[in-house]
Amino acid sequence: MPLQILVTDDDSTIQNLVKDCLELEGYSVILANDGEKALSLAMECHPHLLISDIKMPHKDGYQLVQELRNFPPFRLLPVIFLTQQDSMESKINGYEAGCDVYLGKPFEPMELIAIVKHLLERSQIIQAERLFNHDNPPRTNNNHIPSCTLHLTQREKEVLALIIEGLSNVQIAHQLYLSPKTIEKYVANLLKKTDSQNRTELVAFAFKNHLTS
């Protein structure tokens, strides 16, 4: 499934512009027009990344991020503030609230996409390493598959390498000149071969068994 991004802005034009940019890159996008709704959607959908304006009705971006950071599942959630407030004080407040990147409006779509890709890749690696190092991993069967007995085809290795980089199925398909449905089959094969439930566990398995080189 594509990685999901929550976009929060009370300006529908900005919402749709960001949504179009992200969906062209293969991401799934959910929209909120105020901080209160964004908080509710985050609790319900658990997005992989948040892009938020600061000045919004009901709950501003600072409050939204601060409240999200109080919940363990969102302490490492990548956050981008996309805002017209470009004073140094606003930026400092943004980073103190817990954002990862502060980007001013108007923005360059290619820059936003590059930032999103970087933050998602970093987040996926961190989550995989945390899963690998956890004392009680949710799927102990992974520990019982010796890497020497695991056979991956060359194409499966290529797909796995791009999954580790944080690319979506659509992005992998574009890079390997294959259809998204074909990539879905390769991902399903990788999950089955490594006895993984999802992409995060798959990446964790790859790190654990030194399949990342």
Side-chain angles (χ1 to χ4, degrees), residues 131 133-140:
L131 183 61
N133 291 319
H134 199 281
D135 292 335
N136 297 296
R139 294 279 290 180
T140 57

Side-chain angles (χ1 to χ4, degrees), residues 96-186:
E96 288 181 343
C99 83
D100 295 278
V101 175
Y102 196 104
L103 191 61
K105 298 176 184 176
F107 66 97
E108 171 55 53
M110 293 303 295
E111 181 183 12
L112 176 63
I113 293 301
I115 292 170
V116 166
K117 288 181 178 179
H118 167 71
L119 290 178
L120 286 173
E121 178 182 351
R122 186 189 68 183
S123 175
Q124 191 168 29
I125 290 173
I126 291 172
Q127 289 185 44
E129 290 179 343
R130 290 184 73 198
L131 183 61
F132 167 59
N133 291 319
H134 199 281
D135 292 335
N136 297 296
R139 294 279 290 180
T140 57
N141 287 345
N142 282 357
N143 297 332
H144 299 150
I145 305 177
S147 59
C148 60
T149 66
L150 178 65
H151 174 70
L152 298 182
T153 66
Q154 182 57 38
R155 185 64 82 183
E156 286 172 341
K157 292 178 182 177
E158 292 172 354
V159 172
L160 177 59
L162 294 174
I163 289 174
I164 291 170
E165 289 182 20
L167 273 65
S168 68
N169 286 356
V170 172
Q171 292 171 311
I172 295 172
H174 179 75
Q175 189 149 333
L176 297 181
Y177 301 101
L178 297 171
S179 71
K181 287 190 176 295
T182 299
I183 299 302
E184 287 178 10
K185 292 179 181 178
Y186 279 117

Side-chain angles (χ1 to χ4, degrees), residues 1 139 142 145 150 152 156 159-160 163 169 183-205:
M1 293 181 64
R139 294 279 290 180
N142 282 357
I145 305 177
L150 178 65
L152 298 182
E156 286 172 341
V159 172
L160 177 59
I163 289 174
N169 286 356
I183 299 302
E184 287 178 10
K185 292 179 181 178
Y186 279 117
V187 173
N189 287 341
L190 287 167
L191 292 174
K192 183 176 180 181
K193 285 184 176 182
T194 60
D195 199 19
S196 301
Q197 287 185 316
N198 51 51
R199 291 164 73 104
T200 298
E201 286 191 11
L202 175 59
V203 174
F205 179 90

Side-chain angles (χ1 to χ4, degrees), residues 14 80-87 91 101-108 111-112 115:
I14 295 295
I80 300 171
F81 271 147
L82 185 61
T83 178
Q84 288 181 329
Q85 298 188 37
D86 59 355
S87 69
K91 292 179 181 179
V101 175
Y102 196 104
L103 191 61
K105 298 176 184 176
F107 66 97
E108 171 55 53
E111 181 183 12
L112 176 63
I115 292 170

Side-chain angles (χ1 to χ4, degrees), residues 6-10 15 30-35 37-39 41 56:
L6 172 58
V7 177
T8 309
D9 200 303
D10 58 346
Q15 270 191 350
I30 50 178
L31 301 175
N33 53 17
D34 64 65
K37 183 178 180 181
L39 182 62
L41 283 173
M56 298 181 295

